[in-house]
């Protein structure tokens, strides 16, 4: 159904259409925003020249991302609870935990198709042409959006959901929108079937450069990848680290790897960064809405789409910036403050060693990975958990048993 509609829309290019909103980018954020607006009766164009495509990412959906996904896609199968999570430091300290919450792994191309088809059922028009620019129309408050093949759409609202390198952001927001955001590198290989020993979720921390390698087994496939929060130019080093990991795990050959950039926003971005302006708004990666610690962005993509749709449908678009800064900004700002100390100075090694000896810290760590525990309130939870652990640690150090 989706490809058929995409081809029909391609034939309609070359003339100007008037709609309420143009959404650029058919990933989770764009598809959900288009769906929410079309469901409320807005004529919406969803623009993505690459549709459908497989974004290089882990495809992991934690508990809160799954909850939002099911609001759009009720038929999304329930993920198994009780998966094992294996963590390892670069120096060899290991920890195994059992997660008691759902954690799903879904190919992004499959997720995208389901969400776009749902949006089209609600009345969204999918156009598979490339965004080439936007300019103000003579009518106050509207935009003329142009595509590479000559199509034009006049819209009251232009929504950029086109990723970390957002062309919409570059066209309408200016450099101030991105001055407190730097790129991070990710690289992934997708196995068409579960790789050997796909016995649970794996996270392996790296020291040089600092980051982590993941293994996420899904239903009939697995993703194995690497994330480097601090080195966007380390593609060759990332590729070698990941291939060395695959060899150690017994997966022979040199599988093809695909890379992607992700935004990593500083704490300052959530006080002064621009996520919207006069008649335009940014969602998901295009707005910098990615956890710099874990690299998780699907929850923030979906939630930002909801916040924007609610503001637009209420006739108060400016509420979107307030909602992002009030609901999502504090959590991401905390993550931005934690990220350097987390990955550097041997902290993963110390964290795993301490968690291996203290159930309370293991519980907090598992809740963070699964999405049950946010960074807000983390200090209080850790304080309650770590006081007994710290006393035990000091006692063991004094007695020479650590």
């Amino acid at each position: 159904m989706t490809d058929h509609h995409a081809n029909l829309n391609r034939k309609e290019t070359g003339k100007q259409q008037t709609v309420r909103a143009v959404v650029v980018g058919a990933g989770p954020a764009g598809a959900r925003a288009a769906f929410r607006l079309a469901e409320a009766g807005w004529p919406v164009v969803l623009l993505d020249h690459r549709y459908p495509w497989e974004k290089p990412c882990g495809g992991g959906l934690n508990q809160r991302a799954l909850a939002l996904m099911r609001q759009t896609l009720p038929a999304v199968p329930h993920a198994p609870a009780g998966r094992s999570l294996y963590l390892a430091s670069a120096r060899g300290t290991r920890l195994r935990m059992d997660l008691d919450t759902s954690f799903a792994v879904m190919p992004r191309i499959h997720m995208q198709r389901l969400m776009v088809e749902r949006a089209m059922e609600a009345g969204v028009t999918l156009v598979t042409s490339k965004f080439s620019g936007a300019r103000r129309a003579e009518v106050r408050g509207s935009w003329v959006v142009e595509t590479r093949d000559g199509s034009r759409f006049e819209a009251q609202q232009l929504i950029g959901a086109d990723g970390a390198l957002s062309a919409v952001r570059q066209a309408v927001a200016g450099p101030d929108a991105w001055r407190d955001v730097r790129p991070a590198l990710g690289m992934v290989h997708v196995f068409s079937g579960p790789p050997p020993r796909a016995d649970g979720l794996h996270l392996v921390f790296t020291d040089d450069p600092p980051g982590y390698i993941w293994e996420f087994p899904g239903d009939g496939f697995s993703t194995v990848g690497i994330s480097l929060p601090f080195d966007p130019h380390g593609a060759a080093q990332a590729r070698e680290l990941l291939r060395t990991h695959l060899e150690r795990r017994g997966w022979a050959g040199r599988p093809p790897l695909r890379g992607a950039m992700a935004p990593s926003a500083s704490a300052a971005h959530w006080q002064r960064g621009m996520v919207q302006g006069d008649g335009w708004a940014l969602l998901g990666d295009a707005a910098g809405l990615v956890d710099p610690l874990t690299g998780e962005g699907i929850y923030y993509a979906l939630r930002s789409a909801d916040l924007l749709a609610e503001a637009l449908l209420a006739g108060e678009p400016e509420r979107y910036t307030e909602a992002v800064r009030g609901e999502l900004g504090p959590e991401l700002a905390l993550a931005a403050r934690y990220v350097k100390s987390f990955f550097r100075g041997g902290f993963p090694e110390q964290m795993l060693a301490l968690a291996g000896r203290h159930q309370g810290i293991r519980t907090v760590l598992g809740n963070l990975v699964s999405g049950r525990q946010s960074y807000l309130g983390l200090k209080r939870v850790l304080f309650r958990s770590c006081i007994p652990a710290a006393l035990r640690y000091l006692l063991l150090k004094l007695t020479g048993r650590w």
Side-chain angles (χ1 to χ4, degrees):
M1 180 183 73
T2 301
D3 292 338
H4 173 62
H5 278 272
N7 289 334
L8 284 179
N9 290 325
R10 189 185 294 278
K11 293 175 185 176
E12 294 174 1
T13 57
K15 60 183 181 179
Q16 182 164 309
Q17 300 177 43
T18 301
V19 293
R20 289 288 296 276
V22 171
V23 182
V24 182
R32 186 174 178 91
F35 165 73
R36 289 287 308 272
L37 295 174
E39 192 179 39
W42 281 37
V44 179
V45 163
L46 181 59
L47 195 65
D48 194 324
H49 69 288
R50 294 178 294 181
Y51 178 83
W53 67 292
E54 180 71 82
K55 179 181 177 180
C57 79
L61 293 164
N62 62 23
Q63 179 174 280
R64 61 181 183 172
L66 275 171
L68 287 180
M69 183 71 71
R70 290 197 181 100
Q71 293 175 7
T72 306
L73 302 171
V76 169
H78 286 270
R83 285 189 169 192
S84 294
L85 171 65
Y86 300 87
L87 300 105
S89 73
R91 303 173 191 177
T93 299
R94 300 180 182 277
L95 179 68
R96 176 185 177 275
M97 298 188 303
D98 292 325
L99 300 178
D100 61 355
T101 59
S102 297
F103 190 97
V105 184
M106 182 184 293
R108 283 295 293 272
I109 191 169
H110 179 53
M111 183 192 307
Q112 185 190 45
R113 281 190 171 121
L114 290 174
M115 295 192 70
V116 169
E117 287 178 3
R118 185 75 181 94
M120 292 170 65
E121 289 169 3
V124 170
T125 300
L126 173 67
V127 176
T128 54
S129 301
K130 187 172 184 177
F131 172 85
S132 64
R135 57 181 172 80
R136 283 295 192 186
E138 294 181 3
V139 178
R140 179 176 174 81
S142 64
W143 288 93
V144 174
V145 179
E146 300 175 338
T147 68
R148 185 69 59 86
D149 63 8
S151 296
R152 294 184 303 278
F153 304 93
E154 186 168 342
Q156 295 175 14
Q157 189 72 33
L158 172 59
I159 301 171
D162 49 339
L165 303 179
S166 173
V168 173
R169 185 184 66 243
Q170 295 175 39
V172 302
D176 282 349
W178 216 237
R179 63 176 173 171
D180 297 313
V181 184
R182 53 180 172 72
L185 174 70
M187 193 166 291
V188 68
H189 172 67
V190 179
F191 287 90
S192 57
R197 295 186 289 170
D199 49 355
L201 309 171
H202 289 253
L203 291 176
V204 180
F205 297 101
T206 62
D207 276 347
D208 186 21
Y212 64 91
I213 293 169
W214 78 81
E215 299 173 20
F216 289 169
D219 185 10
F221 79 105
S222 289
T223 65
V224 180
I226 186 169
S227 176
L228 301 180
F230 305 106
D231 191 0
H233 306 296
Q237 200 168 7
R239 187 177 293 109
E240 193 57 37
L241 281 170
L242 186 53
R243 284 179 168 158
T244 298
H245 173 81
L246 293 172
E247 290 171 3
R248 287 175 180 166
R249 291 280 284 155
W251 300 329
R254 299 179 71 81
L257 305 176
R258 299 180 62 196
M261 304 303 290
S264 183
S266 71
H269 181 68
W270 304 114
Q271 279 76 49
R272 65 190 185 195
M274 296 174 63
V275 297
Q276 111 183 102
D278 186 12
W280 61 265
L282 304 173
L283 302 176
D285 284 17
L289 289 163
V290 171
D291 184 333
L293 260 174
T294 66
E296 200 278 322
I298 295 177
Y299 166 76
Y300 299 103
L302 297 172
R303 187 61 186 139
S304 65
D306 284 349
L307 295 175
L308 178 62
E310 290 161 8
L312 293 177
L313 294 176
E316 300 175 327
E318 68 281 355
R319 278 175 36 190
Y320 174 60
T321 294
E322 297 170 7
V324 167
R325 290 180 177 171
E327 179 180 328
L328 305 179
E331 183 173 1
L332 293 171
L334 277 176
R337 293 189 183 102
Y338 293 154
V339 66
K340 287 187 178 180
S341 56
F342 183 91
F343 282 106
R344 291 174 173 164
F347 179 78
E349 173 81 17
Q350 299 164 19
M351 175 188 69
L352 296 185
L354 196 56
R357 294 173 177 266
H358 191 269
Q359 178 60 45
I361 296 177
R362 286 199 300 278
T363 299
V364 173
L365 189 57
N367 288 341
L368 278 171
V369 172
S370 65
R372 176 181 288 175
Q373 171 69 53
S374 78
Y375 300 117
L376 301 177
L378 178 60
K379 185 181 292 187
R380 182 177 66 254
V381 172
L382 282 175
F383 186 79
R384 289 201 309 263
S385 298
C386 287
I387 290 296
L391 293 174
R392 179 178 171 82
Y393 168 75
L394 289 173
L395 180 61
L396 291 172
K397 287 290 279 188
L398 287 170
T399 58
R401 289 182 289 165
W402 180 274

